Amino acid sequence: MKERLSQAITEAEKRQDKIGLAVLRLLNAVITDREKLARSGGNFEGLNDNDIYQIIVEFQKQREASAKQYDERGIVDLATNERHEIKVIQSLLPEKLTENEITIAVDTVIKKIGATSIRDKGRVMKELKARYQRGEMDFTQANPIVLGRLSSDTS
């Protein structure tokens, strides 16, 4: 994710996208600060992709709240800037799988690990989380699919 952020900064510089570049640099600074904080707290590996993903989602939510407030106050230009920042931030996040793609992934994992009953749900979810990034797969959407597949399996 950090590499994706670096590439996005370079692309924003080339496009001379001042608003996008500003939000990306701010995001990079926040990630760097949080890494320093993690390392000073004894986590010498720093932040992993899930940690960075959480920071990016947090950033996006902040911008969405700001855009809503600006809209409610009738401050159109600032709301427009916030929406532009949201699009830039969203470009860093992985694309979400559709429900059909999640179903296919669940079926593949069930077959691969040989899950046969509801007792295998934890193993299936663990394997899905190992294969897919947070944000790429909505695990709250995958859970009922897993339950449905395992409870209807009569083998």
Side-chain angles (χ1 to χ4, degrees):
M1 295 220 63
K2 285 176 69 174
E3 186 176 312
R4 188 181 290 175
L5 177 58
S6 294
Q7 290 172 348
I9 290 171
T10 303
E11 290 170 11
E13 287 171 340
K14 288 179 184 175
R15 287 191 317 269
Q16 296 180 353
D17 176 5
K18 291 179 182 179
I19 294 170
L21 186 57
V23 75
L24 291 170
R25 285 182 173 160
L26 180 59
L27 182 57
N28 193 39
V30 168
I31 291 169
T32 301
D33 286 346
R34 294 226 186 137
E35 276 193 321
K36 287 177 184 175
L37 186 62
R39 286 190 176 122
S40 70
N43 179 357
F44 299 108
E45 294 179 20
L47 303 177
N48 61 31
D49 278 351
N50 278 336
D51 297 329
I52 295 170
Y53 173 81
Q54 283 298 91
I55 293 168
I56 294 171
V57 168
E58 195 177 296
F59 241 62
Q60 180 181 340
K61 287 179 182 179
Q62 290 170 350
R63 298 306 176 283
E64 288 168 351
S66 295
K68 183 179 177 185
Q69 288 178 350
Y70 290 139
D71 281 335
E72 289 170 355
R73 294 179 183 166
I75 309 172
V76 178
D77 56 335
L78 292 178
T80 302
N81 286 351
E82 293 292 329
R83 283 196 197 83
H84 178 69
E85 289 181 7
I86 291 167
K87 286 180 184 177
V88 171
I89 293 167
Q90 285 175 335
S91 72
L92 299 171
L93 299 172
E95 283 191 40
K96 290 188 181 260
L97 296 175
T98 65
E99 186 174 349
N100 188 44
E101 291 169 328
I102 292 172
T103 302
I104 292 168
V106 167
D107 290 340
T108 302
V109 166
I110 288 173
K111 185 176 180 181
K112 179 187 180 246
I113 68 172
T116 58
S117 72
I118 201 77
R119 288 176 286 176
D120 297 318
K121 176 189 164 240
R123 287 184 26 220
V124 173
M125 292 303 291
K126 183 178 179 180
E127 181 67 22
L128 286 171
K129 288 178 181 181
R131 287 180 177 212
Y132 297 96
Q133 291 181 34
R134 191 169 187 192
E136 184 179 14
M137 177 181 283
D138 183 349
F139 296 107
T140 59
Q141 192 177 4
N143 191 44
I145 296 170
V146 171
L147 288 172
R149 290 292 199 256
L150 295 177
S151 63
S152 66
D153 196 350
T154 57
S155 44

